[in-house]
Structure formats: structure tokens, C-alpha cells
Amino acid sequence: PLLHAWITVMRERARADADAMDAERAAGKIRGPLHGIPYGLKDLFDAEGAKTTWGAKPYSEGPVAATDCTVVAKLKEAGAVLLGKTSCGALAYGDIWYGAVTRNPFDPREGSSGSSAGSASAVAAGLCGFAIGTETLGSLVSPSHRCGGSALRPTFGRVSRAGGMALCWSLDKAGPMARHVDDLGPILEAINGYDPADPSSIRTGFSPSPRTDVSGLRLGFNEAWREGATDAELAAFDAALSLGATKVDFPVPDLPSAPLPQQLLAEAAAAFEELTLSNRDDEMVWQEDAAWPNSFRAIRFLSAVDLIQVDRLRRRWMQAVHEAFEGVDLVIGPNFSSGLLTPTNFTGHPCLVMRAGFQQTTPRTIFGQPKDEDAAAARTPVAISLWAPLFREDTLLAFGAALEKKLGVAGERPQF
């Protein structure tokens, strides 16, 4: 009740599945590292026996799902126990859903950011072992930054989205969220794989890398990122550079990124055109200028020519980022001020976000501005991002685990 991190708790299913996994273990059958581990599922995906609400009032009374989505089916096969559906910002934006605002367990006076709001909050608070979230443009990174967890945004096409809400067909990605980097690999291994039900699904394997020596890696970093970085981010950068990797200067491609989200808005408005044309968008709780109802309407004035030009720019970004990664194994930088969050979402490159340290903050808006500068400060997490070439999640996880051990800040839990 403090965090509003769950929309539906699936008690009966969770207990039945847990009993079944206990019985298998007692009989000597162990499915793998996820056997019996409880998890939460962002309420954009179907799970048999529960409604899928997408966090939005117009869909809050939708039908109960008759089948599991692909991700849930894969996790069930791996032995994981579904606790229920975690809250998400309505239609995958923000931390405001139709019942409440999901809260940051390190400072419940503020929202948890979004849109994987409940997944990040529940994981950080220890309400589940791990969770599944999604990202189209920051929805794994932002709430992990706010709540202090770790999350992996896989290469586009690696994890099936079948049985989940489509916001932006060419951008949506599903990925794992956990308290420790080491936990992300087994989860990705379980949910990875080709699925004919998802037209964007790619045939590619994955297994967590046993690599513990990261000293030979080429680590990209841009010294300009130090300007304006927090003390925690600076400490994380220096710790990463001290692990024995070879530092390589990483210039961000000299291309504009501001126009790219217009493609996201156009696809999202197309996906929810019926909501706009029927005026059912009036039922949405969040109605500010930046919210979906107004964005869906405004983007209809984007010309076809402009949309094609944005798509051409996206292709140029794909080529430029591919070339930029040719000389490095991975890149470390700030989540937002690096300028890489937007373009790497549009190019499909993988990203690991992980806790770097802590800072003193007063309650913030979803966009990070102070809500009440006179309020008492709280100790809240800071995260950093690691990026890698396409399909090199193994490198991200190996280096991230070494960095997490070096920093020694991942074990602190919220007090509430």
C-alpha cells in the first residue's frame, strides 16, 4: 500500500506454482537457477488468470487472459514463480497508472519514474526476486536509475514481445530487472530465443559469460561526460577505468537525435488511434501537455515527408553507432547526459543500467525537476549505463558484475 507497485497479485497461481516447484526440488528435479524464484511481470503482458490493464483506465476492466505470453511461458519452463502484475505508467509512459502513482522505495514521497515503474519499485524493495520490464525510450533505465536496481535492455529482437502491448512496433524491447547484475544473465537466458509469433524476433542464442577477468576489454569513455556528473557517477567512471580495461575515447556520433522520438510518437498514435478518435483518451488519468492524450493528437500533424526524413535519420544513426563501436567492447557513461539513451534505443543496441552510488535529493517530478525544494533531503540511488555492440550482452554483464563488486554499493536496501 505504500509503494503501489502491483496492479494484480496472483495469490492462487503463485502458491500452486511454488508448491509444484518445491515438490520437484524435493524429488531431485531442479530446472535451473530460476527454479522457485518469485518474480513480477509488468502489466503490459498477458498471464493466464489475470487481467492485462496496460496501467490505463480505458483498459482496466479488460478480459482475463486465457493464455500466457511467450516470456511468461519461458519463465514457467525455467521454474520461476509468477507473483502477479506490476504497475506501469499508463500505456507504457511514466509512473501514473489508473489506481495510483508508483513510489520510489528509497523516498516514497516521489514517484518511481517509468514506465517499468512497479517492476523497478518492487525489485528495489525486495517484494520479488526479479521482474520483467520493457523499454521503448528509457522505461527500463529511468526507473532503475530512480529506484536503484539493475536492468538489461537487450538487443532489439532478442526477447519476444508476443502477448504484450505494442506501443511502438519498431522500438519496443522487453528485459529483466533485478537487484544485482549477476541475476540478469540467467533471466535473459530463460527468455531469450526466436518466436514466430513476434515478427521482429531474431534467431540468436545467449548464455551468461563465465568471464571474470575484464582487464583486456576496450572501454569507451568520453571525458566531456565528467562535466555535470554527480560524485557517484564520477566514482563509478573512475572505478570502471581502474578494472584494467583499456580506455578508448568514444566520441558520440555528430548527428541530431532530437527528431527521432517523432517516429515513436507516430507509431504510438497509430497503435492507439481508436483511443483518440473515440475520445476515450479523456478517461486517462494523466492529462498534462506531455501526456499521451495530447501527444497522440499533436503528432497527427507531422507530415509524411517529415516522418520519412526521421526514418532516414534513424538509419544514419544505425550506421554511425555501428561504426563507433568497431573500436570498443563496451562504453560507460551517464544514463541521460551522455546523449546515448535515445539513439541507442533507435539503433537497437543493448544497455545495462546499474547502481553507481547515492546522492541527497528532495522529491522530484518524473522528469527529475524538484517538486519541493524546501522538503527534507533523502538518500536516493544514482545509476550509470553501459552500452555494447549488438548481441554482446555477455560483455555487458561480465563487466557490470566486476564493476558492481568494485563499487560495493548494490547491497544497501531502502528503509521504510
Side-chain angles (χ1 to χ4, degrees), residues 394-406:
D394 56 341
T395 304
L396 283 179
L397 294 173
F399 191 87
L403 178 57
E404 184 176 82
K405 182 178 180 180
K406 178 81 171 180

Side-chain angles (χ1 to χ4, degrees), residues 12 46 67 73 112 116 138 144 156 165 193 198 202 217 226 242 257-258 262 274 333 339 342 353 358 388 408:
E12 291 76 15
D46 290 343
T67 58
S112 68
S116 302
S144 297
F156 179 80
M165 186 199 88
D198 181 350
I202 296 173
L217 294 176
R226 291 186 181 276
S242 75
S257 61
Q262 294 180 84
E274 183 275 334
T342 293
V353 58
F358 291 87

Side-chain angles (χ1 to χ4, degrees), residues 37-404:
I37 303 299
Y39 77 98
L41 177 71
K42 186 175 182 178
D43 198 14
L44 299 183
F45 290 96
D46 290 343
E48 182 180 357
K51 294 185 296 183
T52 305
T53 73
W54 303 342
K57 182 63 175 176
Y59 305 100
S60 60
E61 298 302 325
V64 172
T67 58
D68 287 335
C69 68
T70 298
V71 164
V72 170
K74 285 177 174 287
L75 287 171
K76 182 166 184 160
E77 182 63 26
V81 175
L82 176 62
L83 294 182
K85 314 292 281 297
T86 54
S87 57
C88 56
L91 306 184
Y93 185 12
D95 49 26
I96 301 173
W97 55 285
Y98 64 86
V101 177
T102 306
R103 299 293 173 178
N104 176 7
F106 280 93
D107 186 0
R109 298 172 299 173
E110 66 181 9
S112 68
S113 184
S115 68
S116 302
S119 290
S121 180
V123 164
L127 303 181
C128 52
F130 69 92
I132 298 299
T134 67
E135 175 153 320
T136 305
L137 188 61
S139 288
L140 285 166
V141 172
S142 188
S144 297
H145 180 87
R146 181 70 62 94
C147 298
S150 62
L152 181 65
R153 184 187 79 209
T155 301
F156 179 80
R158 183 183 276 285
V159 176
S160 172
R161 306 162 302 175
M165 186 199 88
L167 178 70
C168 185
W169 297 278
S170 72
L171 278 166
D172 296 340
K173 299 161 282 284
M177 310 178 78
R179 286 184 288 281
H180 292 280
V181 172
D182 268 341
D183 293 334
L184 298 172
I187 306 167
L188 180 61
E189 185 177 26
I191 62 178
N192 174 79
Y194 173 72
D195 180 11
D198 181 350
S200 297
S201 184
I202 296 173
R203 294 185 187 275
T204 181
F206 175 80
S207 61
S209 173
R211 178 174 187 163
T212 56
D213 180 11
V214 297
S215 59
L217 294 176
R218 297 165 297 175
L219 179 64
F221 182 70
N222 191 318
E223 286 293 334
W225 292 339
R226 291 186 181 276
E227 185 177 350
T230 65
D231 290 342
E233 288 171 323
L234 291 172
F237 301 157
D238 291 338
L241 297 174
S242 75
L243 288 175
T246 301
K247 179 186 172 184
V248 178
D249 183 55
F250 187 83
V252 178
D254 187 19
L255 290 169
S257 61
L260 293 174
Q262 294 180 84
Q263 185 174 28
L264 186 164
L265 293 173
E267 287 194 40
F272 290 97
E273 183 177 40
E274 183 275 334
L275 188 71
T276 300
L277 298 183
S278 67
N279 290 320
R280 293 175 62 223
D281 56 352
D282 289 345
E283 300 174 31
M284 302 278 284
V285 174
W286 192 23
Q287 292 285 339
E288 296 178 7
D289 288 347
W292 281 144
N294 293 303
S295 297
F296 289 167
R297 291 169 182 265
I299 200 63
R300 298 179 74 89
F301 293 94
L302 181 72
S303 75
V305 172
D306 289 335
L307 185 58
I308 294 298
Q309 298 292 30
V310 170
D311 198 43
R312 294 178 68 206
L313 174 63
R314 182 180 185 180
R315 178 65 180 176
R316 291 174 62 196
W317 267 107
M318 289 177 176
Q319 294 170 327
V321 173
H322 177 72
E323 293 170 0
F325 272 113
E326 286 183 352
V328 298
D329 294 302
L330 73 163
V331 173
I332 185 171
N335 297 315
F336 308 113
S337 60
S338 65
L340 290 180
L341 186 144
T342 293
T344 57
N345 262 292
F346 280 81
T347 62
H349 283 75
C351 173
L352 169 67
V353 58
M354 56 178 287
R355 187 185 295 180
F358 291 87
Q359 61 186 343
Q360 293 291 319
T361 58
T362 57
R364 295 160 287 181
T365 69
I366 187 175
F367 301 112
Q369 291 88 12
K371 287 198 299 185
D372 183 2
E373 294 182 349
D374 295 328
R379 179 176 165 84
T380 58
V382 177
I384 49 92
S385 283
L386 298 166
W387 299 270
L390 297 170
F391 304 107
R392 294 316 308 264
E393 288 86 349
D394 56 341
T395 304
L396 283 179
L397 294 173
F399 191 87
L403 178 57
E404 184 176 82

